[in-house]
Amino acid sequence: MTLGITTNTSLIGALAGMALGRLPLAYLTHYRSIHVQNLAQSAVSAATFGAGNALLLPIGIPFVMGRPDLVEPMFIGVFLAMLVDGYMLYRMFDTEIFPASGAWPPGVAAAEAIRAGDEGGRKLGVLGLGVVVGIVGSLFKVPIRPSASPSSAMSGRS
C-alpha cells in the first residue's frame, strides 16, 4: 500500500469555469466573467486540497498501519484541525506571513489559463494542447524499478 498527496487542481477549476461559461445555457452565462472563473477555480482548488490532503490522506494512515480502529478518531481530529487551520488562514491572510501581494505560482498559472481562455487564439490552443498531452501522458504508466539501498550501493552489494 502507498500514500500520496493530491494534485493541484487550480487549473482544473479554471478549465471547468471556462467550459461552463461556454455552454449555451442562460443560467451559466455568468461563468463567462473571468472574475467568476477565478472564484470557481479558487473554490475547486480549496475544496479538493482540503478534502484530499487534510482529510483523506490522514485517514489513510491508520489503514496503512493496519489499525482501521483508529480511522474514526483520526477523522474527528483532522476535521477539527482543518477547521482551525481554515480559521487561522483567514485571520492571517494579507499579513507579513501570508502577503496578499505575494507570488503564488499555482494562482499565477490559473490566472494565465483564465486569461488564455478569455483571449482565445494561439494561447488557448497551447493550453488545450497541454491538456490533451497531459491526459494522454497520464494513460501510460512507466514501470519504475526500485533502486538499490544507499547502504548496499556503498558496500558494493546489490
Side-chain angles (χ1 to χ4, degrees), residues 48-120:
T48 56
F49 185 83
N53 293 333
L55 290 176
L56 295 178
L57 178 63
I59 292 171
I61 292 171
F63 281 111
V64 172
M65 294 175 58
R67 296 289 311 271
D69 58 309
L70 295 178
V71 170
E72 200 171 307
M74 178 69 86
F75 176 73
I76 293 167
V78 297
F79 178 75
L80 294 173
M82 190 172 75
L83 292 177
V84 169
D85 184 48
Y87 177 74
M88 288 175 56
L89 286 174
Y90 176 76
R91 299 296 296 168
M92 293 169 55
F93 183 73
D94 202 15
T95 63
E96 192 174 325
I97 296 171
F98 293 108
S101 61
W104 302 87
V108 172
E112 289 298 321
I114 291 171
R115 183 178 293 150
D118 189 46
E119 293 175 6

Side-chain angles (χ1 to χ4, degrees), residues 3-143:
L3 290 174
I5 60 169
T6 61
T7 59
N8 185 320
T9 55
S10 294
L11 287 175
I12 295 169
L15 293 173
M18 285 186 274
L20 286 173
R22 303 296 188 273
L23 293 175
L25 300 171
Y27 61 91
L28 294 177
T29 56
H30 67 280
Y31 278 100
R32 290 191 183 143
S33 163
I34 60 171
H35 304 294
V36 174
Q37 291 171 9
N38 186 37
L39 288 173
Q41 73 83 16
S42 296
V44 167
S45 178
T48 56
F49 185 83
N53 293 333
L55 290 176
L56 295 178
L57 178 63
I59 292 171
I61 292 171
F63 281 111
V64 172
M65 294 175 58
R67 296 289 311 271
D69 58 309
L70 295 178
V71 170
E72 200 171 307
M74 178 69 86
F75 176 73
I76 293 167
V78 297
F79 178 75
L80 294 173
M82 190 172 75
L83 292 177
V84 169
D85 184 48
Y87 177 74
M88 288 175 56
L89 286 174
Y90 176 76
R91 299 296 296 168
M92 293 169 55
F93 183 73
D94 202 15
T95 63
E96 192 174 325
I97 296 171
F98 293 108
S101 61
W104 302 87
V108 172
E112 289 298 321
I114 291 171
R115 183 178 293 150
D118 189 46
E119 293 175 6
R122 184 170 181 264
K123 287 182 179 181
L124 183 59
V126 171
L127 179 63
L129 179 64
V131 169
V132 170
V133 168
I135 290 170
V136 170
S138 69
L139 297 175
F140 299 100
K141 299 210 187 259
V142 178

